[in-house]
Amino acid sequence: MADVSFEDQEKIKEILKTYSRVHYLVTQEYGIPLEAVLSVRVDGENGKIDVNTADTMLRFKAKGSENALVSDPETGGMKMVFDPALAQAIFEIIQDYAPEA
């Protein structure tokens, strides 16, 4: 699987708005407006999505079909969460935006 970075604002909005669980987490849980997102990196080989702003990098990594590792702003690390919708969204983003090279 490819490792692809998107910096075009329209493409970033397309990616984040298409997958409602990721959109909700970025904008509501982390409080980041879409306009503040500078890039989205889709890493198909490692099953993760990075959302970058000027100050923050959020990481979402699928761990099976029901769990995901997500950025934890309180600790600065990662935490495992039970979130089947997020895990599925990560797999779909990888399939749609980082196909095999």
Side-chain angles (χ1 to χ4, degrees):
M1 293 291 209
D3 183 354
V4 184
S5 186
F6 300 95
E7 296 177 2
D8 176 67
Q9 283 298 309
E10 292 305 313
K11 184 59 84 173
I12 290 168
K13 288 179 183 176
E14 173 189 319
I15 293 168
L16 296 179
K17 286 184 175 183
T18 299
Y19 304 93
S20 61
R21 185 63 182 147
V22 177
H23 180 261
Y24 174 81
L25 288 171
V26 170
T27 61
Q28 301 301 310
E29 292 290 320
Y30 294 101
I32 298 173
L34 290 182
E35 297 76 27
V37 177
L38 300 177
S39 69
V40 172
R41 180 173 166 252
V42 181
D43 182 349
E45 188 170 314
N46 295 301
K48 66 184 177 185
I49 310 299
D50 294 336
V51 177
N52 299 291
T53 70
D55 304 322
T56 309
M57 190 273 293
L58 301 175
R59 177 163 285 163
F60 305 100
K61 181 173 177 138
K63 298 298 276 182
S65 62
E66 295 185 338
N67 296 301
L69 281 171
V70 299
S71 296
D72 184 354
E74 292 179 12
T75 65
M78 303 285 288
K79 66 180 176 183
M80 182 78 74
V81 295
F82 175 76
D83 193 335
L86 176 58
Q88 184 63 37
I90 293 167
F91 289 128
E92 289 177 10
I93 291 170
I94 290 168
Q95 182 178 350
D96 292 345
Y97 292 95
E100 292 193 33

